[in-house]
Amino acid sequence: MGTLDAVVCNSKPPAAYTVRYDDELEEAIAQVEPLVKEKCGGRLNSRWLTLKLLDQDESLIREINAYLGEDFLQDEELQASLTQAKDVLLSGGITNTDQLKDRVVSALVKSAEHICSGVVTYHDRQYAAM
């Protein structure tokens, strides 16, 4: 309870949790994220923004561009980096955005299960097996 009190009272900020994706997706993120981080200057989470750029959701990218006040995808260096990252995804069997989304969601579920396993306890071991 002491940790919870410290977080609630802002004397101890909560630690950020980083979702870990499969190797191909992590490699693609690593290809693009440093440049995204530099360009967005901390206004958005660079890891999240990198995933959104790889996902190619045009309406969301338009909203991001409006929020940041620039068209991210017009940057040639970023375009080259995204192309290399997409090649990494292709070599890992991720050939379309639906497969990318499936891998992202799968990693989110695994992360949630991992977090939950450290928080939720079962007094009846048979209940946990269900």
Side-chain angles (χ1 to χ4, degrees):
M1 286 301 275
T3 302
L4 179 60
D5 289 338
V7 170
V8 170
C9 296
N10 289 325
S11 61
K12 180 181 180 182
Y17 183 85
T18 301
V19 175
R20 288 281 164 237
Y21 302 99
D22 58 28
D23 292 341
E24 295 84 11
L25 195 45
E26 284 293 338
E27 187 178 341
I29 292 168
Q31 185 77 37
V32 180
E33 186 183 12
L35 185 57
V36 169
K37 189 176 210 168
E38 176 186 315
K39 290 191 62 59
C40 76
R43 294 176 285 172
L44 291 172
N45 180 291
S46 58
R47 191 169 167 86
W48 175 83
L49 183 51
T50 298
L51 283 170
K52 296 296 127 190
L53 292 174
L54 289 169
D55 186 31
Q56 302 173 337
D57 181 333
E58 290 181 23
S59 65
L60 182 59
I61 290 173
R62 278 194 303 277
E63 292 298 320
I64 290 168
N65 288 339
Y67 175 76
L68 296 174
E70 67 177 294
D71 188 348
F72 255 55
L73 296 179
Q74 294 303 312
D75 183 282
E76 290 180 18
E77 188 178 6
L78 180 59
Q79 277 294 338
S81 186
L82 283 167
T83 299
Q84 290 174 339
K86 289 173 188 173
D87 289 343
V88 168
L89 295 176
L90 283 171
S91 69
I94 302 173
T95 60
N96 60 56
T97 58
D98 286 339
Q99 290 173 329
L100 175 66
K101 289 175 184 177
D102 286 347
R103 299 252 187 129
V104 168
V105 169
S106 178
L108 291 172
V109 169
K110 286 179 185 177
S111 292
E113 288 171 347
H114 174 73
I115 292 168
C116 182
S117 71
V119 177
V120 176
T121 59
Y122 302 97
H123 295 288
D124 182 351
R125 296 230 182 256
Q126 290 180 355
Y127 179 77
M130 293 181 171

